[in-house]
Structure formats: C-alpha cells, structure tokens
Amino acid sequence: MPELPEVETVRRDLEHALVGRRIIEVRLHGARTVRRHDPAELVASSKGRTVTGARRRGKYLLVDTDDGGALVIHLRMSGQLRLHSPADPAAAHTHAWFDLDDGHQLRFVDPRTFGELVWVPSGANDRRTPELARLGVDPLRDPPDERRLRELLGSRRLPLKGALLRQDLVAGIGNIYSDEIAFAARLRHDHRTDALTRRQLAALSEAMAQVIADAVAHRGSSLSDAQYVDLFGRPGGFQHHHQVYGRAGQPCPCCRRPLVRAAFAQRSTVGCRHCQR
DNA sequence: CGATCTACCTGATGGC
DNA sequence: TGCCATCAGGTAGATC
C-alpha cells in the first residue's frame, strides 16, 4: 500500500519523467476518479500545460504546471501511476491517460477506486484539498527530534500506533511503517504517547527517521499482491527488510520468540511482546 | 478530546 | 470446481 516511501519513489520518478513535458491530451474514464469537482475542468485545465515540478506532501502527490495550477493525486490503497507508450494495452481499471509531448503516456490505474485526482487551479490554495493544510511533520524531509515529538505526542492520550497513523501529527506513515517504526524503537503499539519517556521519544525519533529513510533508499515496499510498483512497473525492495510487518508467527529478529498479531483499530498489527515495551 | 464504527471498493485467499 | 465469507487498508465523517 503506498505510504510515504512508495509515494516519494513515485514522486522522484515523476520528476524525471514529467518536468519540462507538455501535456497534450487528457482522457478520463469512470465517475470516481475525479469527484471533488467537474472532471471536465481537470481535462480542460491540464491540457496544454507544461509540468514544472512534482512535489509530495504526506501521501499526496502534487504535479505543478506552468500556469500555477496543480494536479493533486492520492493513490489511497491500490492506485498506481505508470508511464507507458500509447500503444501499450491498457491495464484493467485504468481511469486516466495523460499524453505527453515526448511520446510517453502517464496512466492512473486503480482497481479499488479509492484513489483520486483533483485539479487545484492557480491561487485556489487548499480550498479543494483542505486536508493538505492539516498535514503534520514530514518524517523524511523534516524528521522530528525528541523535543518535537514530545510537543506533538506528549500531551495526547493516544496509543502509539494511533498517533503514528494520524496524518495531522506525522504525515505519510501507514500500517506497514507504523509497525516497523514501533519495533525499531522497541515500543509497544499500544504504549500511551503521554507516558513515553524522553529516552523512549528519542528512540522513536531515531527509529522514524531511520526506517523511513531506509525504505525510501530501497524504493519502498511491494507486497505479494503487487499493488505497489513504481512509475515503470518495478517493485520496491524494502519488503525484504521488514522486521515485523506481515511476519506474525515468525521469530522476532531480536529475541527469536514468535511475533504476535494484534487487532488495532480494525487493522492488523504485528510486534514482539517481549522486545517492545 | 479520544474511541469506535461505517463507508468507499476489488481481488486474493481460505474453508467447505 | 464453485461458492461464500473474510481480509487487506487510507481517509473522512458520524456518533458516543
């Protein structure tokens, strides 16, 4: 599932593939892809524009254009952006096509249709995407130190995993990386944030920065369902470095006792009951 | 404030 | 082999 490392990998690919390119044709298919405004506006506004940048905020991608507008993309659970030759057959559940002036075609594919595209006109700021204004610190660009984490978490009565998943506190962490970060910090997923000591917050700070940076260096995690691949269809490599996610029943990398699955907020969580406190 | 539940959706998987 | 139930999970919103 695309979380920060996967979205950042796609962003870097997009930056290389799109910046300086002109969008010469746009096609949309399906009613759910553009749902915050008239889809025709996205087509009319992005067509003819030249891409000037590719940014990421949390798990959101922002493709900037030369008129100051931006195409905002969220992949949610199963969304993919892929670069193709126009002659390539379309994958099932392809919902958007962008023809570029270098002969390539950017496609948006999303079986579960949770993902979406939003056109944000120049000067519109966050009116159409108000959640962007509420995003918390970025653990890749601006990893929070112990002091910052204390400000963010210390006054809240949240289970650690719940806090890590809150996009308005730290932006970009999902189910995979929250488990990996909690394990790397040797903290239980249900450890109350207001009970974390300075030493534990320092461990959390280091774990967060390290796990996210490593995952980005490995171009993200691709699970067996292959829902995440990069712009060119290549899987990431960080799944081979997962310590706990998807490894319930297997030995803890630290103490060799079996890793345990727990339910947390309708989500599965894996960890070591012995090593994580 | 925080916890819990629901909705959105398809595909993979497991049990029978 | 087929059918059904379950699970996977990012986010918003409702409700307690």
Side-chain angles (χ1 to χ4, degrees):
Chain A
M1 314 299 140
E3 302 179 28
L4 188 157
E6 293 76 32
V7 177
E8 175 64 17
T9 301
V10 173
R11 186 201 70 75
R12 292 176 182 185
D13 289 349
L14 285 174
E15 189 165 64
H16 285 115
L18 258 53
V19 171
R21 301 277 63 77
R22 201 162 64 90
I23 299 167
I24 56 180
E25 195 61 66
V26 182
R27 271 181 300 147
L28 296 174
H29 181 260
R32 282 180 50 78
T33 308
V34 179
R35 47 189 189 258
R36 299 192 191 192
H37 57 81
D38 183 356
E41 183 192 339
L42 184 148
V43 175
S45 300
S46 58
K47 199 167 152 178
R49 300 270 59 89
T50 296
V51 175
T52 57
R55 292 179 290 144
R56 178 189 58 76
R57 289 171 65 186
K59 300 173 197 168
Y60 292 80
L61 287 163
L62 295 83
V63 176
D64 298 306
T65 60
D66 58 351
D67 67 339
L71 175 64
V72 176
I73 303 158
H74 198 305
L75 303 173
R76 288 296 209 287
M77 312 288 300
S78 59
Q80 283 183 10
L81 288 169
R82 299 287 296 276
L83 198 67
H84 282 278
S85 157
D88 293 342
H93 309 291
T94 301
H95 305 302
W97 293 259
F98 297 86
D99 288 307
L100 307 175
D101 64 356
D102 65 354
H104 285 122
Q105 191 175 60
L106 178 70
R107 299 180 186 171
F108 174 67
V109 182
D110 186 11
R112 295 170 74 172
T113 73
F114 287 9
E116 63 172 327
L117 310 182
V118 185
W119 176 257
V120 177
S122 176
N125 291 323
D126 287 329
R127 190 159 36 84
R128 277 190 181 165
T129 52
E131 66 269 41
L132 293 185
R134 296 192 288 264
L135 292 174
V137 297
D138 191 286
L140 179 68
R141 275 191 306 271
D142 185 23
D145 60 12
E146 173 259 318
R147 183 197 159 98
R148 184 94 180 87
L149 284 180
R150 183 149 35 91
E151 289 166 2
L152 284 169
L153 309 177
S155 61
R156 294 171 193 273
R157 249 185 111 72
L158 289 170
L160 174 61
K161 175 138 172 155
L164 292 175
L165 292 172
R166 284 260 308 249
Q167 303 299 302
D168 59 337
L169 299 178
V170 182
I173 295 172
N175 208 38
I176 296 173
Y177 296 103
S178 58
D179 279 9
E180 292 298 319
I181 289 167
F183 179 77
R186 298 296 189 263
L187 291 168
R188 288 175 58 101
H189 72 85
D190 56 354
H191 197 121
R192 293 278 156 182
T193 52
D194 57 354
L196 291 167
T197 64
R198 289 192 181 203
R199 179 186 279 272
Q200 288 172 326
L201 287 164
L204 182 60
S205 165
E206 186 181 340
M208 187 183 295
Q210 191 71 53
V211 167
I212 294 297
D214 282 355
V216 170
H218 285 94
R219 298 182 62 80
S221 303
S222 294
L223 307 179
S224 54
D225 58 10
Q227 301 244 62
Y228 164 72
V229 289
D230 69 14
L231 197 58
F232 309 100
R234 303 173 303 198
F238 194 66
Q239 65 279 7
H240 303 303
H241 300 266
H242 289 175
Q243 304 292 294
V244 290
Y245 179 84
R247 303 178 65 91
Q250 297 180 39
C252 168
C254 188
C255 74
R256 315 314 291 174
R257 292 175 175 85
L259 294 169
V260 175
R261 177 192 304 277
F264 173 84
Q266 264 90 349
R267 213 137 263 142
S268 96
T269 292
V270 182
C272 178
R273 300 205 74 93
H274 177 73
C275 297
Q276 292 173 254
R277 303 273 153 187

